[in-house]
Amino acid sequence: MRTVADNLTHDLVHHLPAAAVARRPDAPAVTDAHGTWTYAELDARAAAFATWLAERGVARGDRVLSRIGNVREFAAMLFGTLRHGAVFVPIGAGMKAYHLDAVLEDCAPALVVAAETDGGVPPGPRVHMLEKLWPEVEEIALGGSPESAASPEVSPDELALLIYTSGSTAAPKGVMSPHRAITFAAAAIAERLRYRSGDVVLTAIPLSFDYGLYQVFLSAQAGAHLVLAGPDEHVGLPALMRAHGATVVPVVPSLAEMLIRLVGRGSAEPPAVRLFTNTGAALTPPLAARLRAAFPTASLALMYGTTECKRTTIMEPDGDLERPHALGRPLTGTRVTILGEDGRPVPAGGTGEIVVSGPHVMDGYWNAPELTAERFRRDPETGERRLHSGDYGRLDADGHLYFEGRRDDLFKRRGVRMSCQEIEAAAVDVPGVEAAAVLPPADGRDLTVFAVTGLPAADVLAGLAERLEDAKVPADCRPVAGLPLTPNGKTDKRRLAESLE
Amino acid sequence: MTDRETLTGDALDERFVELLRGVLPAAKRARPITPDLDLKAAGLDSMATIELLLRLEDAYQVTLPDSALNGRTFATPAAVWSAVREQRGA
């Protein structure tokens, strides 16, 4: 039997493409709307970007923030930044200035790369536009100048990525991801999903989202061909999949829905996908069934995880047909423990907090020691560091995990993680809103905000749309004179929910 | 032909404007739909784009070719309408 160790050929993230670069330099590595780079071409550009960073005085450990969308330069910048010993911080197009300002202040990047088409970044001395800097990188790559001799020996314990994600806080926080945890996770995921060199991995989910980001690692590690598509290309995805022969497609429910509808409109054969994977937000069994019907050649692998340990469990392809709602078993070499209210493990079948241990557990949150201490705790018996995910669920007798919900105010909508608190904080940032309470989506209602304000509902929603990425903007706003309180003086969300019925 | 003529030239199809209005999010629906409206800024995300495509193909009994299925076609009402008209004329 293969083990994770067999797959774990590297403990530095930027070494993941090394085997493909050496053995199949002319094989396609990454394609976007503008063209394809082979593994040799990608490697040359990653080296050139590292040199370009050195020329700009970026030091080891410095943060390089990037907001450039699903383009092939992303892969070169990612591997180039890590070769240089710096930390890559990917930010998505959806983030608005309200949160972007907080992130820029939090991670204090030495250098920022933005693209005009991808939301932009406020101009500043450290902000470079991709359109302008890339010809400089190409020139360095063409010159074939050897990577600067000063290129540092990076340790696997050093940080490779800061991935900003929502928590029960007003602003997003950065998950500190070291090389060793990322390479372990990439190898452990590969052991289950078996990406291979002949695969064409269509990534239409954002690279700024860790599910999309890891497609770069999984593809590079396997020597597969990564095909990137941005939102503008979603409407043409079936044609793109046929043109490139896509075999593996990671989906969130909204993307699965889009693919099903697009494939259903024509009479052409559906693209011959071999594997769909899903995480981020669960595919419901009816949606999974429709996806299978639309793509008869494809298997489906359901997965579950959280940025704080990347991936927790993976179901073997099509295992969900026999075990509906199960999310698979923990990655090989890792453990899931279900802890009860008393902090002690619960036997199989019992519900409790999903606690994760293993080499994939990340290093905590950037600049947030208290929050880190709360989520990343020591096992009182073994001293091992464990991730208290905040998710609740149970394991069956065979070790398959089932998710049952959260007990804090974190939730997902359209695959995007968010909290009531961050939306409430954005609402009271809108001039004229005195207080706000948010109800997450539930049976029969979408995301709803109650605002204590004299403003019309549309103005509150427009103010929120200026501050939050689209998925976080409530579908409905109810202006109210005041918020009902519980006897403890907290907002009585149950009464608010009842008022909608 | 200017953007405006693209729309008015075909007697400003009310049904088209209504279809378009129907897929844009409520929060951003207040503004008038002009031929050169930036549809992305008006909230036409990927899902809404696909919804619009399906509704248009159904309403006008056309099939947009693969070459038209991209962000440029769905950038403005004028561009969308011109893609539909091209197929109706075809």
Side-chain angles (χ1 to χ4, degrees), chain A residues 12-15 17-18 21 39-40 42-51 53 60 76-86 147-148 150-154 179:
Chain A
L12 293 175
V13 176
H14 48 285
H15 288 170
V21 172
Y39 271 95
L42 171 63
D43 188 57
R45 281 155 184 83
F49 188 70
T51 303
L53 287 178
R60 180 175 183 163
M77 282 172 42
L78 166 62
F79 289 126
T81 300
L82 303 186
R83 276 164 104 126
H84 186 59
E147 207 163 336
S148 82
S151 188
E153 242 343 277
V154 179
H179 283 267

Side-chain angles (χ1 to χ4, degrees), chain A residues 105-157:
Chain A
E105 185 168 327
D106 187 57
C107 72
L111 193 135
V112 174
V113 178
E116 284 178 12
T117 52
D118 215 57
V121 168
R126 292 163 303 170
V127 179
H128 297 258
M129 298 310 290
L130 180 68
E131 295 83 350
K132 187 164 169 297
L133 79 87
W134 204 254
E136 300 170 14
V137 174
E138 289 287 337
E139 202 167 310
I140 298 172
L142 267 180
S145 73
E147 207 163 336
S148 82
S151 188
E153 242 343 277
V154 179
S155 149
D157 288 329

Side-chain angles (χ1 to χ4, degrees), chain A residues 231-232 234-236 239 242 254 257-258 261-262 265 414 458 461-462 465 470, chain B residues 27-28 40 45-47 49-51 53-54 57 63-64 66 69-71 74:
Chain A
D232 277 357
H234 284 174
V235 69
R242 282 190 199 98
S254 57
E257 182 71 47
M258 288 193 267
R261 304 186 76 176
L262 285 170
R265 63 180 266 282
R414 298 190 211 156
L461 291 175
D470 293 347
Chain B
K28 301 179 181 181
K40 201 183 274 185
D45 61 10
S46 307
M47 188 70 97
T49 301
I50 290 163
E51 183 63 37
L53 169 71
L54 297 177
E57 290 188 334
T63 304
L64 297 199
D66 287 349
L69 300 183
N70 55 51
F74 293 90

Side-chain angles (χ1 to χ4, degrees), chain A residues 346-415:
Chain A
V346 172
T351 297
E353 186 177 16
I354 299 170
V355 175
V356 186
S357 43
H360 60 331
V361 173
M362 300 296 169
D363 281 359
Y365 303 110
W366 183 256
N367 281 339
E370 281 176 24
L371 204 55
T372 300
E374 188 186 311
R375 287 268 179 240
F376 297 80
R377 295 184 228 162
R378 298 272 168 201
D379 180 335
E381 280 168 28
T382 65
E384 188 183 17
R385 230 165 40 91
R386 301 191 295 191
L387 170 67
H388 287 246
S389 70
D391 285 346
Y392 284 75
R394 64 191 158 85
L395 289 165
D396 68 16
D398 299 325
H400 281 88
L401 185 67
Y402 296 75
F403 174 76
E404 296 193 351
R406 286 193 70 91
R407 299 197 183 158
D408 57 14
D409 74 353
L410 220 59
F411 59 96
K412 285 194 173 177
R413 180 175 184 238
R414 298 190 211 156

